[in-house]
């Protein structure tokens, strides 16, 4: 019996533009059999300032390169650097900032 495990590579997936500054690829979702996880591969054009949002599930962001800031509703800010991971619990209102490279 096959395990349904699979390897997914960004270059094998279609790119869609969420807005002029974000190129996205859907890596994992219900189409590949995930019940609780949505994983996106995003390429951001800096500078970028997102809007406050929440998710029904956890949000996990892995910073491949560069730096970003996540602001929680209420003003708490967390800085992500290259190879760090951000975990946001379900229902926590937050937004992302991607400053100019080198800032």
């Amino acid at each position: 019996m096959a395990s349904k495990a699979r390897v997914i590579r960004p270059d094998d997936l279609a790119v869609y533009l969420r807005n002029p500054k974000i190129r996205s690829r859907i890596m994992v979702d219900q189409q590949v059999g995930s019940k609780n996880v949505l994983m996106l591969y995003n390429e951001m054009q800096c500078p970028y300032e997102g809007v406050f949002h929440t998710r029904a599930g956890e949000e996990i962001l892995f910073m491949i390169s560069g730096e970003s800031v996540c602001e929680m509703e209420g003003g708490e800010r967390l800085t992500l650097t290259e190879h760090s991971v951000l975990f946001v619990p379900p229902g926590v209102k937050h937004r992302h900032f991607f400053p100019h490279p080198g800032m």
Side-chain angles (χ1 to χ4, degrees):
M1 180 172 154
S3 69
K4 297 186 182 179
R6 59 196 294 189
V7 173
I8 302 164
R9 293 177 178 83
D11 292 341
D12 296 337
L13 302 169
V15 172
Y16 70 95
L17 299 177
R18 290 175 47 192
N19 68 49
K21 292 194 168 204
I22 304 176
R23 291 170 34 105
S24 289
R25 293 176 174 97
I26 298 173
M27 302 288 292
V28 175
D29 66 359
Q30 292 176 340
Q31 298 289 348
V32 299
S34 174
K35 294 179 183 174
N36 302 305
V37 174
L38 169 65
M39 181 180 177
L40 302 173
Y41 181 98
N42 293 331
E43 297 172 16
M44 313 296 291
Q45 182 181 24
C46 298
Y48 172 79
E49 183 176 323
V51 297
F52 277 104
H53 64 282
T54 60
R55 301 206 185 277
E58 293 88 353
E59 181 171 330
I60 300 169
L61 185 128
F62 176 73
M63 196 71 181
I64 293 173
S65 65
E67 184 175 294
S68 72
V69 174
C70 182
E71 179 182 17
M72 309 303 160
E73 187 174 50
E76 177 186 7
R77 288 186 174 206
L78 302 171
T79 300
L80 285 89
T81 56
E82 191 170 305
H83 301 145
S84 62
V85 173
L86 169 71
F87 173 78
V88 181
V92 173
K93 199 169 202 176
H94 63 286
R95 65 181 176 164
H96 301 283
F97 296 89
F98 295 85
H100 289 284
M103 289 184 80

